[in-house]
Amino acid sequence: MRVFKFGGASVKDPAGVRNVASIIRDHGDKSLVVVVSAMAKTTNALEKLTQYYIEGQTDAMMKVFGEVRQFHLDITNELFNDPKHSAHFHVKQTFFHLQRYIEEKPSGNYNYEYDRIVSTGEIVSTQIVSYYLNHEGVRNQWFDARKLIITDSSFRDARIDWILTPQAVKKALLPYLKPAENSAKPGIVLTQGFIGATTQGFTTTLGREGSDFSAAILAYSLQASEVVIWKDVPGLLNADPKLFEQTLLMPNISYQEAIELSYYGATVIHPKTLKPLLSRNIPLKVKSFFQPAEPGTIINEVSEHDGLVPSFIFKFNQVLVSIFPKDFSFIAEHNLSRIFSDFAKHGVKINLMQNSAISFSVCFDSDLIKTPALLRDLEKNFNVKYNYDLELITIRHYEKAQMEQLIAHHEVLLEQKSRITLQMVVRKKQ
Ligand code: ASP
Ligand code: MG
């Protein structure tokens, strides 16, 4: 049994939904779990809606609500000619429930409200896709992921209960995935990515772009034979095609390599996705929904191809801070522990650090609120120098020539090398 995951770009319009149906028909198995996320940029729109809801900006909120609703009604109208088809009713009903909810006063807990509201995007998207598949003869059973993915109550970044979730998943899905010979059950189940619920039934979400992770959780729970993430790129590329004219496809890399790449900032796969798959040795494929017959990339335990092509990862909007003890002491344990506790206090994640005898340099993502607050605290105990608007370039499996070409127009402020990874904090030359 396999798990297929389709992201927002794959179901951004009626043609996308039709394409998803044909991929499932042609490439799916009798026993298949399908995970679908919200359509197109719906999650962004519902985030805005939540913000207006919390701020009491009713007009702005209702405007976004109307747009999101109409977008889904239009897609439904195009997919189902028959005005009496249940899809129309259910999509309207989902938005009716949301409307009733946002007409009430918010609780004041932003993260809670966010999950309650934003999850609507995945609910309505899966309703449409599930109905459409059935309509096209690809019989499937829709499931509410809030009955399957059990989490704690850290709204917007919920942690999975790894005991209760596999139990709930197996109990609910296995009867459909392994139906008895004479059963009328379909063998294909379809559910949402990104969302779950607490044991009390409160909706939670797993963090933005979390539906890859959902697919991995389901695969882990069911001991699936593989996960396929269908994307608008041919597979894992060695650089972001938005930044590089020429990119190379990586046909096969190991779990470890993929974890490293996502750690350094490659955004193709949600970083949490790989660990549950690694622990059960479930391969992950990344394939193009435009060219479903192409092999794409496979991520598994095989590491011999890891170094074949160098990967380039860019992080923008970086700050580099150099910290000097005021009293001419060396950078040693007590200074480091002060520095780290300031970073922890402000929730600033370190991307790269380097120390010398008298200074300590740290590179991290710039943040309008966190960065000045952190700097203020650091300045209480240290002399601090900082640079904004930098880039952090990471090259895995680097070669000298590429690196020189890459930084021809940059000034390198800090460099760190290991055998496999080169990282540079750079500034564009004016
Ligand atoms: N719809 C969610 C998001 O846009 C989850 C996902 O697509 O993975 O972040
Ligand atoms: Mg998405």
Side-chain angles (χ1 to χ4, degrees):
M1 174 245 311
R2 295 192 288 169
V3 179
F4 280 7
K5 181 257 164 169
F6 294 95
S10 66
V11 287
K12 70 179 192 334
D13 51 23
V17 178
R18 289 192 188 104
N19 184 46
V20 164
S22 84
I23 289 176
I24 294 173
R25 188 189 301 109
D26 299 344
H27 301 271
D29 308 317
K30 277 213 188 67
S31 182
L32 181 71
V33 179
V34 180
V35 174
V36 182
S37 66
M39 291 174 159
K41 300 277 175 229
T42 300
T43 307
N44 293 351
L46 292 173
E47 270 185 357
K48 268 249 112 49
L49 190 157
T50 309
Q51 188 195 329
Y52 292 141
Y53 175 57
I54 296 283
E55 292 169 357
Q57 297 202 52
T58 312
D59 291 346
M61 173 183 83
M62 288 316 292
K63 184 166 176 279
V64 179
F65 173 82
E67 286 162 2
V68 175
R69 179 176 182 274
Q70 197 53 48
F71 170 75
H72 289 88
L73 294 187
D74 288 347
I75 291 185
T76 314
N77 284 335
E78 259 210 54
L79 292 171
F80 307 93
N81 288 330
D82 177 2
K84 291 207 190 66
H85 193 286
S86 318
H88 302 290
F89 170 75
H90 264 117
V91 169
K92 281 185 193 143
Q93 195 189 35
T94 302
F95 282 105
F96 178 69
H97 287 315
L98 177 59
Q99 186 175 350
R100 291 284 289 271
Y101 187 78
I102 59 178
E103 277 165 6
E104 302 288 320
K105 273 207 160 31
S107 67
N109 180 342
Y110 172 74
N111 292 344
Y112 166 83
E113 300 295 0
Y114 177 103
D115 287 356
R116 174 68 182 72
I117 293 169
V118 170
S119 54
T120 309
E122 334 291 305
I123 296 291
V124 71
S125 154
T126 52
Q127 284 171 332
I128 295 172
V129 177
S130 174
Y131 271 124
Y132 186 71
L133 288 171
N134 277 324
H135 180 68
E136 290 297 293
V138 184
R139 296 214 309 117
N140 71 97
Q141 178 64 43
W142 183 91
F143 276 89
D144 187 333
R146 292 169 296 192
K147 303 260 162 41
L148 306 173
I149 308 290
I150 313 299
T151 72
D152 71 0
S153 57
S154 321
F155 296 105
R156 286 188 71 191
D157 190 22
R159 264 175 285 268
I160 305 301
D161 185 320
W162 288 103
I163 306 288
L164 294 180
T165 300
Q167 283 171 3
V169 169
K170 278 191 274 192
K171 189 161 175 239
L173 302 192
L174 281 181
Y176 286 83
L177 293 167
K178 290 184 186 157
E181 286 293 308
N182 54 357
S183 146
K185 288 179 177 161
I188 298 180
V189 301
L190 187 143
T191 192
Q192 306 79 43
F194 178 56
I195 71 172
T198 65
T199 44
Q200 293 85 39
F202 293 114
T203 305
T204 53
T205 64
L206 311 180
R208 285 304 305 266
E209 304 299 331
S211 36
D212 291 355
F213 185 35
S214 302
I217 298 164
L218 294 169
Y220 170 92
S221 302
L222 296 161
Q223 314 231 20
S225 58
E226 70 177 31
V227 174
V228 185
I229 297 182
W230 296 91
K231 297 200 70 100
D232 55 0
V233 287
L236 282 191
L237 301 173
N238 73 327
D240 184 343
K242 287 188 211 104
L243 301 174
F244 278 68
E245 262 172 43
Q246 282 176 343
T247 54
L248 292 168
L249 176 74
M250 298 188 273
N252 179 197
I253 59 169
S254 67
Y255 295 114
Q256 275 77 14
E257 181 68 12
I259 290 171
E260 294 282 350
L261 291 175
S262 69
Y263 172 78
Y264 288 120
T267 51
V268 192
I269 297 170
H270 191 284
K272 289 180 185 166
T273 308
L274 292 152
K275 284 208 183 149
L277 299 179
L278 164 73
S279 79
R280 294 242 152 127
N281 209 355
I282 302 170
L284 172 67
K285 284 187 182 156
V286 181
K287 281 163 70 94
S288 159
F289 56 70
F290 297 125
Q291 291 151 323
E294 293 295 316
T297 298
I298 178 159
I299 301 169
N300 56 14
E301 78 289 354
V302 179
S303 60
E304 60 194 64
H305 313 290
D306 284 355
L308 288 185
V309 289
S311 299
F312 301 89
I313 303 157
F314 283 69
K315 271 182 186 265
F316 297 98
N317 204 10
Q318 299 292 301
V319 192
L320 179 65
V321 177
S322 296
I323 302 161
F324 307 84
K326 279 186 173 159
D327 57 2
F328 306 111
S329 64
F330 291 123
I331 288 289
E333 298 79 274
H334 84 284
N335 278 325
L336 285 173
S337 83
R338 264 195 187 160
I339 294 170
F340 285 130
S341 80
D342 282 342
F343 275 83
K345 175 178 160 197
H346 295 282
V348 176
K349 208 180 129 260
I350 295 173
N351 292 331
L352 182 143
M353 55 192 168
Q354 190 163 298
N355 70 313
S356 72
I358 51 159
S359 84
F360 185 66
S361 300
V362 190
C363 175
F364 52 90
D365 296 359
S366 175
D367 181 286
L368 232 53
I369 313 282
K370 289 180 190 172
T371 308
L374 167 68
L375 292 178
R376 267 196 302 278
D377 268 355
L378 286 170
E379 278 166 344
K380 286 182 193 153
N381 297 306
F382 302 96
N383 292 320
V384 179
K385 287 190 190 160
Y386 47 86
N387 278 292
Y388 282 97
D389 285 331
L390 306 177
E391 293 171 22
L392 172 62
I393 305 177
T394 303
I395 315 177
R396 294 274 295 168
H397 310 286
Y398 61 94
E399 279 162 24
K400 203 159 177 277
Q402 303 147 347
M403 164 193 151
E404 278 162 8
Q405 192 191 349
L406 198 67
I407 56 172
H409 305 288
H410 291 91
E411 175 193 349
V412 179
L413 280 80
L414 192 149
E415 184 180 301
Q416 205 166 76
K417 274 184 199 164
S418 74
R419 203 164 46 80
I420 296 177
T421 311
L422 165 68
Q423 293 196 285
M424 293 176 291
V425 181
V426 303
R427 176 167 41 208
K428 272 222 168 73
K429 282 187 191 150
Q430 297 297 331

